[in-house]
Amino acid sequence: MTTRPEDMFQIVQLQVSIAREHALKSADDGGQHVATVVLRCLEELRGDARRSVERASLCTDAVSTYVAEAYKARPSREDAKESSSDDDLQKPRNARSSSLGSYGGAVPSLEVEALCAVANDGLRVQERCETLIEGLKCRTKEGAAPLEGPAFQSVEAVKDQVVGDYAEAAVSCCKAAACAPLCDLRDAIFAPDSEHALFGDLWEADESRADAIDVGTETIDDYLQDFRCWLPSYLYAKVVRAAFDGLVQAYVDRFLRSSRDPAFRDGDQAAMLVLRDQNRLLSYFLPKFTQDADLASANLRTPESVMARTAVLRTLA
């Protein structure tokens, strides 16, 4: 959380106060001068919200591109001075602490805490917009008349747009923050020769030690502990849903990019494994969405609605 909303509205309130003082000394113009000043301030706020949305969208797109490139082969283990042993594969691991970027390409710069701060600021700007407009309905201590009629209606209409823009900015930042686990999981489960590779040989052999979905949900769970501390329940729910949808989408994209020929040794076995992955996704996310009161705004409160988000895996199977 930052002081940015308060700093912005100190400037806005100063401009509005000067405009209302000016209105006291000038001929009655039906509040048009005050309305014009307020509208200019609100348009500046709309621009700030749009810039936040654009930056968050760039982050989300960068992660999508970064994860999509995981199908490319990485340098040989000898060249990369990497090694693995059976001990390394004994159980799924949380990929959050793993090194990134071993497959080439710059790791997207996701300042997760900063994204959450911008999302929180978006909610607070909405509240201060409402307070600002309510204040225009009242006569000032100096005697400036309330803003009324068409002038007030025009201001209120733009205020509603500002509130909507900052709501969009908050949700966009949450979606960008929810991409962070995918950056960590890119080399852990989406790269074709990673230890826990989806649709790799160990996956097809149904080796439990190579369970990519468990690695994915453990990594997401680690991030969610931080998100729960940083965000109010409304935004936390948006992050959890975005992380859920993002993992499902990345799974599907990795399946469609499989370069194996033939794709699987045993198609029926592979279909069963995809269904197993669906069940493991549901075993983690379904209780969260249906039982956690903080996730009400994710709008996935019934088992049917959660299962519908993973129906594409059944289609793949």
Side-chain angles (χ1 to χ4, degrees):
M1 192 172 291
T2 72
T3 61
R4 192 162 173 269
E6 289 77 11
D7 296 340
M8 289 193 301
F9 273 86
Q10 279 186 353
I11 297 172
V12 171
Q13 289 285 9
L14 178 61
Q15 295 296 317
V16 173
S17 296
I18 293 172
R20 298 189 77 176
E21 287 177 12
H22 175 78
L24 273 174
K25 303 172 184 178
S26 61
D28 183 21
D29 63 354
Q32 286 303 317
H33 174 68
V34 174
T36 298
V37 171
V38 176
L39 288 172
R40 287 175 180 170
C41 293
L42 292 178
E43 285 299 333
E44 287 296 322
L45 291 173
R46 291 198 72 192
D48 177 72
R50 285 193 294 268
R51 288 188 290 273
S52 294
V53 171
E54 290 168 1
R55 288 193 292 268
S57 296
L58 287 174
C59 289
T60 302
D61 292 344
V63 173
S64 296
T65 300
Y66 179 70
V67 174
E69 292 175 348
Y71 69 91
K72 298 177 182 178
R74 67 172 156 183
S76 68
R77 291 186 181 277
E78 182 178 353
D79 292 341
K81 296 183 179 180
E82 295 177 354
S83 62
S84 63
S85 66
D86 287 344
D87 290 341
D88 296 327
L89 301 173
Q90 288 305 309
K91 62 180 180 178
R93 68 168 183 246
N94 178 342
R96 186 170 183 177
S97 60
S98 66
S99 61
L100 300 175
S102 59
Y103 285 77
V107 181
S109 177
L110 283 181
E111 297 181 4
V112 178
E113 222 173 327
L115 286 167
C116 291
V118 174
N120 280 320
D121 287 352
L123 294 188
R124 289 157 61 213
V125 169
Q126 293 176 61
E127 294 171 359
R128 279 155 182 76
C129 277
E130 299 288 357
T131 301
L132 173 68
I133 302 308
E134 286 299 312
L136 295 175
K137 297 178 182 180
C138 304
R139 184 176 295 274
T140 66
K141 294 179 180 179
E142 294 76 16
L147 196 63
E148 299 173 329
F152 180 78
Q153 292 169 4
S154 64
V155 167
E156 191 169 40
V158 176
K159 179 269 297 181
D160 290 341
Q161 294 173 347
V162 174
V163 169
D165 289 343
Y166 273 98
E168 180 185 0
V171 173
S172 295
C173 288
C174 287
K175 289 181 178 179
C179 291
L182 293 179
C183 285
D184 291 342
L185 292 171
R186 186 239 200 182
D187 285 3
I189 67 174
F190 294 118
D193 60 344
S194 60
E195 294 172 350
H196 305 287
L198 278 169
F199 316 121
D201 292 335
L202 289 176
W203 177 88
E204 192 172 1
D206 196 15
E207 294 279 355
S208 60
R209 64 186 183 183
D211 192 343
I213 296 300
D214 283 356
V215 175
T217 54
E218 286 183 17
T219 302
I220 288 173
D221 192 71
D222 189 23
Y223 275 94
L224 294 187
Q225 294 178 46
D226 289 335
F227 290 136
R228 191 185 284 273
C229 295
W230 295 338
L231 296 168
S233 58
Y234 172 78
L235 294 180
Y236 174 67
K238 303 300 183 186
V239 168
V240 178
R241 175 156 181 173
F244 175 40
D245 289 342
L247 183 56
V248 171
Q249 184 61 53
Y251 183 100
V252 173
D253 289 346
R254 181 65 191 88
F255 182 93
L256 296 177
R257 286 191 173 93
S258 178
S259 59
R260 294 175 50 163
D261 187 18
F264 302 107
R265 291 189 295 270
D266 186 334
D268 291 338
Q269 169 70 1
M272 294 300 297
L273 292 173
V274 170
L275 294 177
R276 179 206 64 182
D277 288 347
Q278 180 192 27
N279 288 334
R280 284 186 168 165
L281 277 171
L282 290 172
S283 69
Y284 175 76
F285 283 105
L286 195 149
K288 283 187 174 296
F289 287 118
T290 58
Q291 299 173 18
D292 189 336
D294 287 340
L295 298 184
S297 64
N299 296 321
L300 294 175
R301 299 303 281 174
T302 65
E304 293 77 14
S305 62
V306 180
M307 292 174 66
R309 308 301 296 179
T310 65
V312 64
L313 272 67
R314 185 166 294 276
T315 301
L316 292 180

